[in-house]
Amino acid sequence: MPDYIPKPEHKFTFGLWTVGNVGRDPFGHPTREPLAPEYIVYKLAELGAWGVNLHDNDLIPINATVAERKKILSRFKKALSDSGLVVPMATTNLFGDPVFKDGAFTNANAKIRAYAIHKTMHAMDLGAELGAKIYVFWGGREGAEVDAGMNTLDALAYYREALNFLAEYSESQGYGYRFALEPKPNEPRGDIYLPVVGAALGFIATLDKPHLFGLNPEVAHEMMAGLNFVHAVAQAIDAGKLFHIDLNDQKMGRFDQDLRFGAENLKLAFLLVKLLEDSKYDGPRHFDAHALRTEDEAGVWEFARGCMRTYLILREKARQFNQDKEIQALIKAYKVQDAELSKLTKKFSKKNAEALKAKKFNRVALGERGPGLEKLDQLTVELLLGER
Ligand code: XLS
Ligand code: MG
Ligand code: MG
């Protein structure tokens, strides 16, 4: 019987802003006291996490002096080295301060765009100093409520300019970052640019150094857009662009709920874990979620434990699924093979095309066959319910 105890080798990570979330929402004040970054580091290590991620201002306040920065950083580094926790990913807060109220890289104001790049270079320095190799760009305020300013085409050009600039900066400093774009359809903006995984993939192809850019898809974000997250992740994997992943949960189509991983859509969470494990994704399993606003600090750590435990249980379920003879036989029957036809369709040649055109197909019989998906799905549900 597996013990489901999280260990660093599982590569579980949390953001300072996730377990550190104080329970503020648009209608209510914080319900929890802030937790010191070092305290979070020790607690996460105790729970078996591998790493902690941060926005620049999760650690260093935006108005900190050089001396304050130094002091904070040395305390934080000590906590990291005492606990063994790593910082695999860093990012920039380009959304909290009023200066970014109408966007950062995509702001219509050139002074604010320049400030956003300036702030990001400093944040990249910070991340590199802490050992981060993945740099996330979530376009929190990169969007609009009013399109009458006709900023969208400009915004995309400015976005591209900023990302190209920052990729060069990383290379010139020898930081070795891989950049992960994190799409989200809305919130905090009415509409955010590059709203879903597919949009970000398309945009990456227009950058100067597309090989440095990939995706950081988040469960809740695709679901807010009403999309199938497993499909989105599969597309990112297929493109060789799954650089990082934000795991959480969400009721379809609602505001950004950031629920505990697996709290709401168990089958989706299972298929996602199976996809990540089967495709040998070896990046961090980052939980970008937070405890419910109702919870006190004990609830925060229950939340963190729960995210990791659910992942490990689902990983074990995926292993069972792959070994379940009946399920595997159904999948085999579902994926009908035909070596002769596949040879013809694999690659175009005049000869293959002619041969294929000359083939006779029994369309009616092909259309009559039921692929057996009801049974396959039911057995999947039963496996998840612990009945197999
Ligand atoms: C917000 C985003 C944010 C990013 C990091 O919805 O998920 O937390 O992951 O800036
Ligand atoms: Mg989010
Ligand atoms: Mg996120």
Side-chain angles (χ1 to χ4, degrees):
M1 191 62 187
D3 57 17
Y4 305 126
I5 295 175
K7 299 183 190 72
E9 75 212 41
H10 299 130
K11 292 196 167 175
F12 292 133
T13 65
F14 291 84
L16 283 180
W17 72 97
T18 63
V19 283
N21 181 289
V22 291
R24 185 186 297 112
D25 75 14
F27 302 97
H29 300 300
T31 58
R32 292 186 285 268
E33 291 297 319
L35 303 173
E38 304 79 59
Y39 177 72
I40 292 179
V41 166
Y42 291 118
K43 280 302 277 191
L44 287 178
E46 191 185 306
L47 295 181
W50 173 60
V52 64
N53 301 319
L54 48 96
H55 301 86
D56 49 354
N57 305 136
D58 296 340
L59 185 62
I60 316 277
I62 196 165
N63 49 8
T65 62
V66 175
E68 283 161 352
R69 182 184 190 278
K70 215 170 143 197
K71 212 162 132 197
I72 295 170
L73 206 50
S74 91
R75 275 205 308 258
F76 191 66
K77 280 183 168 170
K78 180 172 182 319
L80 291 173
S81 77
D82 286 353
S83 66
L85 227 64
V86 295
V87 178
M89 177 273 259
T91 183
T92 329
N93 186 325
L94 295 173
F95 43 88
D97 194 88
V99 69
F100 299 125
K101 63 192 174 198
D102 192 26
F105 300 145
T106 63
N107 202 296
N109 182 333
K111 296 181 203 304
I112 297 177
R113 293 199 298 277
Y115 172 61
I117 296 175
H118 155 103
K119 186 174 194 287
T120 304
M121 284 193 289
H122 284 290
M124 285 166 64
D125 298 347
L126 173 70
E129 190 169 343
L130 295 170
K133 288 285 174 219
I134 302 165
Y135 204 87
V136 163
F137 290 112
W138 169 57
R141 298 274 172 200
E142 315 292 8
E145 292 77 32
V146 174
D147 286 331
M150 299 305 287
N151 195 41
T152 312
L153 266 182
D154 291 342
L156 291 171
Y158 298 148
Y159 218 156
R160 182 176 303 113
E161 221 170 82
L163 296 181
N164 286 340
F165 187 102
L166 293 165
E168 293 275 0
Y169 176 68
S170 169
E171 289 202 324
S172 74
Q173 296 286 111
Y175 286 160
Y177 278 126
R178 298 207 304 160
F179 299 101
L181 305 187
E182 182 179 338
K184 186 175 183 180
N186 58 276
E187 208 184 335
R189 298 312 297 268
D191 287 289
I192 298 180
Y193 304 131
L194 310 182
V196 293
V197 164
L201 282 174
F203 189 69
I204 287 173
T206 73
L207 299 175
D208 287 349
K209 295 184 184 259
H211 61 283
L212 292 180
F213 289 84
L215 264 291
N216 177 34
E218 175 168 319
V219 181
H221 296 179
E222 297 293 300
M223 292 189 71
M224 288 167 70
L227 298 178
N228 180 322
F229 187 67
V230 176
H231 291 198
V233 172
Q235 200 183 347
I237 292 173
D238 181 64
K241 293 295 188 189
L242 188 67
F243 286 12
H244 195 264
I245 190 159
D246 279 3
L247 301 170
N248 57 14
D249 212 345
Q250 172 79 20
K251 288 182 201 264
M252 185 64 96
R254 302 200 183 167
F255 68 94
D256 186 8
Q257 295 176 312
D258 280 343
L259 301 173
R260 190 180 74 257
F261 180 59
E264 194 59 35
N265 300 282
L266 260 185
K267 196 172 16 165
L268 178 139
F270 164 68
L271 294 169
L272 175 61
V273 169
K274 183 168 150 47
L275 176 65
L276 294 176
E277 298 296 324
D278 287 355
S279 66
K280 311 251 180 302
Y281 167 75
D282 74 346
R285 274 80 173 151
H286 174 66
F287 298 105
D288 189 7
H290 51 78
L292 298 170
R293 186 168 182 270
T294 52
E295 300 306 289
D296 57 15
E297 192 192 318
V300 170
W301 305 119
E302 281 308 319
F303 148 83
R305 256 188 223 105
C307 286
M308 296 188 281
R309 188 171 160 81
T310 298
Y311 189 100
L312 292 175
I313 295 172
L314 293 175
R315 195 178 71 149
E316 170 60 16
K317 293 281 179 194
R319 197 192 59 78
Q320 283 173 20
F321 184 98
N322 290 343
Q323 290 190 348
D324 186 305
K325 290 208 167 63
E326 198 180 355
I327 289 178
Q328 293 309 313
L330 284 169
I331 293 178
K332 192 152 182 263
Y334 174 50
K335 298 184 170 181
V336 177
Q337 304 294 329
D338 189 307
E340 192 199 328
L341 285 173
S342 295
K343 226 168 130 187
L344 292 183
T345 54
K346 186 117 197 122
K347 192 157 173 41
F348 174 85
S349 70
K350 281 211 155 178
K351 206 169 134 228
N352 283 351
E354 288 307 319
L356 186 57
K357 278 173 90 177
K359 281 275 170 208
K360 294 256 178 294
F361 288 90
N362 188 341
R363 174 181 50 79
V364 175
L366 286 173
E368 271 167 6
R369 179 179 178 270
L373 292 172
E374 280 291 357
K375 183 151 188 204
L376 177 59
D377 195 50
Q378 176 64 21
L379 295 190
T380 307
V381 169
E382 291 191 16
L383 186 132
L384 290 176
L385 293 175
E387 287 301 321
R388 290 189 71 75

